[in-house]
Amino acid sequence: MGEEDYYLELCERPVHFEKANPVNCVFFDEANKQVFAVRSGGATGVVVKGPDDRNPISFRMEDKGEVKCIKFSLENKILAVQRTSKTVVLPEKRNLKLLKSQNINVNWYMYCPESAVILLSTTVLGNVLQPFYFRAGTMSKLPKFEIELPAAPKSTKLSLSERDIAMATIYGQLYVLFLRHHSRTSNSTGAEVVLYHLPREGACKKTHILKLNRTGKFALNVVDNLVVVHHQDTETSVIFDIKLRGEFDGTITLHHPVLPARSIQPYQIPVAGPAPVTSQSPIPCKLYSSSWIVFQPDIIISASQGYLWNLQVKLQPIVNLLPDKGRLMDFLLQRRECKTVVLSVCSQMLTESDRATLPVIATVFDKLNQEYKKYLDAEQSYTLALEAGQSRSGPFLRRPARTQAVVDQSDMYTHVLSAFAEKKEMPQKFMIAVLMEYIRSLNQFQITVQHYLHELVIKTLVQHNLFYTLHQFLQYHVLSDSKPLACLLLSLESFYPPAHQLSLDMLKRLSTANDEIVEVLLSKHQVLAALRFIRGIGGHDNISARKFLDAAKQTEDHMLFYTIFRFFEQRNQRLRGNPSFTPGEHCEEHVAFFKQVFGDQALMRPTTF
């Protein structure tokens, strides 16, 4: 398989630690995500490393027997060491105060540092779970719940192992994941992962079932809100997305893997050592090794090789593995780093070789604009709340985060549509249909269409001489009125004479003042169009000659300057019987420039009758 087929990979820069051996014991602290390498019970050194630690912590401690567990408090302030099943030693002398106690028979426990929830396995079978929530030095008891075991157990011994339970935050909600090795329904083969939603308030409910369709040894990770299930026997992994549509029976949603099972991308372990030695080829890492230990949410540790990796999802390969563009967009828009891939999918579906149908393109545009609109609405609500002064009364007012799923008009124009409109091989009807489909989608979500998209449509129509279509689009207000659009139309008069009137009609509909229209045209260097407009409304006898000559000179088009200069000479002749400019018009500089370029003889002579 090529690199483009793997959608999971181990991070490039893992945490490297001394591998486990008879002298060196390795421990992992899930709260701080730190690996402890303890040599000879700490007597010959303890080295602590974490994914974000540039400088590992090293220290020694007295060898007082075998270390069963070792951890730092948050921010590495206090070290705790456990050497027996009943005692925890804090190397620094501290006074401990009992805040609260609970009397429960516990089989095993599991702690989720991200949500500060501890889960206790209780009862003989172990399948009644009691959660507690820690916050600001207090402990709250949450409602207990029962995990449904595959079948009624024959014996009365512990039936729920902590190996088959995980806790993880998915889409901002805390879930308990239960790996059920045999389905409860007899006609279904294979294991499944059952998700129980554990809210801060209210009862825990079974909400999702992930069908694995295989048996054997499994391990779970959660990466970018995706549940990743590793299967040791086949050395492959599958991913599930609980936000994607599944089979809903009224209470539970059944999900199948989003993509075909694939191995994690092969990984090479670099050879450490002196420079001459490191020129050796890197060693392939044994993936899905029996020595791998998986921690939540996304950590894989190989104690025998001395590496800690973060598991990552690669989005680009998924584009070709998920042919349904609508489902692909639903999937991509939920991922953290999705924008580049989303834009590449949009570009790809508009190429000659991978051209999608218009209904598919429409679906993709709608999915993008739904996210875009959601963000615009949130931004507007935030602004209104800010203006209403809620920030003083409510501390919870927070500016909405602009995630990578927000693909706005500027993104689409810059990265997709402008390049698409320049493709010579693309059928013009398809090209116009795609541009109009995007505008239709924006209108459907009540998003104000930016004028540059309308300009792109008009330029594309003109390029292909589709003036009749252009006329219709404007006549039936398919393209929204705007001043920049009106100016663009005025500039098209030489190609398409009716554009002049269409433009003036648009400016009038916008209730634009005549002098403002002239200013807009001159700022766009449409000097002749401005002059035609002012003549059309009969105001050309009162306009400032200097303003028009300034604008004509700025274009650096000498023939245009000549035409404008001659127009005002003729106006002077008609109004005053002399083509010369009066001192009050302040045009001396322009007269000098005219003489310099065209010579004195080119100046108009007074005509007498």
Side-chain angles (χ1 to χ4, degrees):
M1 277 198 291
E3 202 171 295
E4 63 282 355
D5 289 314
Y6 301 103
Y7 52 79
L8 290 167
E9 64 179 352
L10 301 173
C11 66
E12 270 182 23
R13 298 180 64 186
V15 175
H16 183 36
F17 55 89
E18 189 178 344
K19 53 183 143 187
N21 58 45
V23 179
N24 186 56
C25 294
V26 175
F27 301 92
F28 180 65
D29 172 11
E30 289 184 71
N32 286 322
K33 309 284 184 265
Q34 290 171 325
V35 179
F36 285 74
V38 181
R39 290 178 61 86
S40 312
T44 54
V46 178
V47 179
V48 187
K49 288 185 175 182
D52 307 319
D53 300 343
R54 288 194 177 83
N55 304 313
I57 301 165
S58 300
F59 57 90
R60 291 184 182 196
M61 56 188 193
E62 284 182 58
D63 183 0
K64 292 184 178 176
E66 182 197 352
V67 174
K68 289 187 180 295
C69 187
I70 183 168
K71 292 183 182 187
F72 268 121
S73 65
L74 295 173
E75 298 176 5
N76 304 332
K77 285 184 178 167
I78 304 165
L79 180 70
V81 183
Q82 182 184 354
R83 287 196 170 89
T84 73
S85 57
K86 291 184 178 176
T87 59
V88 173
V89 177
L90 306 178
E92 186 183 330
K93 284 190 177 175
R94 294 261 174 167
N95 288 327
L96 291 177
K97 181 181 167 190
L98 179 64
L99 296 174
K100 197 172 184 181
S101 68
Q102 291 280 338
N103 223 353
I104 303 174
N105 285 330
V106 178
N107 302 304
W108 49 262
Y109 78 92
M110 183 170 285
Y111 180 63
C112 177
E114 286 77 20
S115 56
V117 169
I118 195 167
L119 209 53
L120 309 179
S121 158
T122 68
T123 71
V124 178
L125 297 174
N127 65 324
V128 174
L129 300 181
Q130 173 63 66
F132 287 90
Y133 169 47
F134 297 95
R135 187 181 176 189
T138 63
M139 181 170 79
S140 311
K141 193 175 186 177
L142 302 177
K144 63 184 173 187
F145 61 98
E146 186 175 336
I147 296 280
E148 290 179 0
L149 296 169
K154 306 243 181 334
S155 67
T156 54
K157 67 176 199 306
L158 188 65
S159 299
L160 183 66
S161 160
E162 65 183 295
R163 279 201 312 272
D164 297 332
I165 294 285
M167 272 197 293
T169 302
I170 307 170
Y171 292 115
Q173 298 295 315
L174 181 61
Y175 288 90
V176 174
L177 291 75
F178 168 44
L179 179 56
R180 191 155 60 191
H181 290 277
H182 303 286
S183 170
R184 280 180 75 82
T185 52
S186 55
N187 61 352
S188 170
T189 57
E192 55 195 27
V193 178
V194 185
L195 269 66
Y196 292 82
H197 177 222
L198 184 56
R200 286 270 184 275
E201 290 171 9
C204 183
K205 282 187 187 148
K206 183 163 74 166
T207 51
H208 300 273
I209 293 179
L210 318 180
K211 301 296 284 182
L212 301 179
N213 304 319
R214 51 180 56 170
T215 56
K217 283 185 179 175
F218 298 96
L220 304 176
N221 276 131
V222 173
V223 184
D224 203 359
N225 293 311
L226 297 168
V227 179
V228 183
V229 184
H230 308 290
H231 187 229
Q232 198 180 15
D233 304 1
T234 56
E235 297 189 356
T236 58
S237 305
V238 286
I239 56 175
F240 293 87
D241 186 350
I242 62 170
K243 271 266 176 96
L244 287 186
R245 201 166 58 247
E247 301 158 28
F248 185 58
D249 68 359
T251 53
I252 296 164
T253 309
L254 213 66
H255 299 270
H256 294 281
V258 177
L259 301 164
R262 289 281 188 275
S263 164
I264 294 169
Q265 186 174 317
Y267 186 87
Q268 307 283 328
I269 294 176
V271 179
V277 182
T278 52
S279 59
Q280 293 175 20
S281 304
I283 306 156
C285 171
K286 172 77 178 87
L287 301 176
Y288 302 91
S289 157
S290 56
S291 73
W292 274 19
I293 310 163
V294 170
F295 292 96
Q296 298 313 317
D298 60 353
I299 287 170
I300 295 173
I301 292 180
S302 172
S304 63
Q305 290 172 308
Y307 281 95
L308 178 153
W309 294 280
N310 292 90
L311 186 66
Q312 296 171 342
V313 175
K314 294 171 67 183
L315 295 182
Q316 195 60 55
I318 294 170
V319 173
N320 299 322
L321 292 169
L322 201 54
D324 179 337
K325 290 278 190 291
R327 197 166 167 81
L328 174 64
M329 274 296 153
D330 288 338
F331 177 85
L332 290 176
L333 289 170
Q334 300 297 340
R335 308 285 72 83
R336 254 193 324 264
E337 305 286 328
C338 67
K339 186 175 275 189
T340 311
V341 182
V342 164
L343 290 169
S344 78
V345 169
C346 292
S347 295
Q348 189 183 331
M349 72 180 183
L350 300 179
T351 57
E352 194 57 60
S353 54
D354 288 314
R355 206 166 99 193
T357 62
L358 272 176
V360 168
I361 291 166
T363 300
V364 169
F365 287 165
D366 286 348
K367 287 182 187 296
L368 291 178
N369 289 327
Q370 192 174 2
E371 287 293 324
Y372 181 22
K373 175 65 171 169
K374 214 189 295 177
Y375 170 74
L376 291 175
D377 286 349
E379 186 73 30
Q380 189 182 18
S381 302
Y382 170 78
T383 308
L384 291 172
L386 214 57
E387 286 168 0
Q390 280 185 20
S391 55
R392 288 189 292 278
S393 56
F396 301 114
L397 189 63
R398 193 177 293 149
R399 190 180 195 122
R402 188 186 176 111
T403 67
Q404 289 213 2
V406 180
V407 177
D408 63 18
Q409 298 174 64
S410 149
D411 294 322
M412 284 298 287
Y413 176 82
T414 308
H415 300 285
V416 180
L417 298 175
S418 55
F420 166 68
E422 285 170 17
K423 287 182 178 167
K424 302 280 186 285
E425 75 280 3
M426 202 55 74
Q428 58 194 39
K429 272 190 178 174
F430 177 70
M431 194 177 275
I432 299 299
V434 167
L435 296 175
M436 293 315 296
E437 199 53 64
Y438 185 63
I439 289 172
R440 185 244 0 122
S441 179
L442 290 167
N443 285 326
Q444 184 179 312
F445 287 96
Q446 298 174 319
I447 299 169
T448 307
V449 182
Q450 295 296 320
H451 65 83
Y452 48 75
L453 289 171
H454 288 143
E455 284 182 23
L456 185 62
V457 172
I458 291 175
K459 282 175 179 168
T460 308
L461 288 167
V462 169
Q463 212 173 342
H464 296 288
N465 295 318
L466 298 169
F467 294 111
Y468 176 68
T469 310
L470 170 61
H471 206 116
Q472 281 194 312
F473 280 176
L474 292 163
Q475 204 169 356
Y476 295 108
H477 308 297
V478 175
L479 301 172
S480 310
D481 293 350
S482 73
K483 286 175 191 171
L485 204 57
C487 293
L488 178 64
L489 286 170
L490 274 174
S491 70
L492 298 174
E493 189 185 354
S494 53
F495 302 103
Y496 183 57
H500 180 74
Q501 194 55 46
L502 287 167
S503 163
L504 296 186
D505 292 344
M506 186 180 286
L507 287 165
K508 280 168 190 161
R509 283 197 299 275
L510 290 163
S511 308
T512 316
N514 291 336
D515 55 349
E516 192 185 341
I517 293 170
V518 171
E519 292 296 341
V520 169
L521 290 170
L522 290 179
S523 71
K524 293 266 184 182
H525 305 300
Q526 301 292 331
V527 188
L528 278 177
L531 200 52
R532 284 195 201 102
F533 168 72
I534 213 78
R535 284 185 71 176
I537 57 168
H540 54 294
D541 286 353
N542 305 315
I543 54 174
S544 154
R546 183 183 170 185
K547 182 186 286 185
F548 276 77
L549 289 168
D550 278 346
K553 191 178 174 188
Q554 276 174 10
T555 65
E556 297 180 355
D557 179 342
H558 287 171
M559 285 321 295
L560 174 67
F561 183 82
Y562 182 92
T563 306
I564 300 297
F565 192 91
R566 182 65 84 226
F567 168 82
F568 283 108
E569 280 189 318
Q570 288 168 346
R571 183 187 75 166
N572 294 344
Q573 175 69 38
R574 182 167 48 78
L575 295 178
R576 296 199 298 269
N578 190 313
S580 303
F581 293 91
T582 63
E585 291 180 283
H586 305 292
C587 291
E588 295 81 6
E589 158 195 351
H590 296 301
V591 172
F593 179 71
F594 185 89
K595 286 181 186 174
Q596 180 193 329
V597 177
F598 303 105
D600 287 17
Q601 71 283 1
L603 287 167
M604 197 174 153
R605 302 276 171 259
T607 51
T608 50
F609 297 99

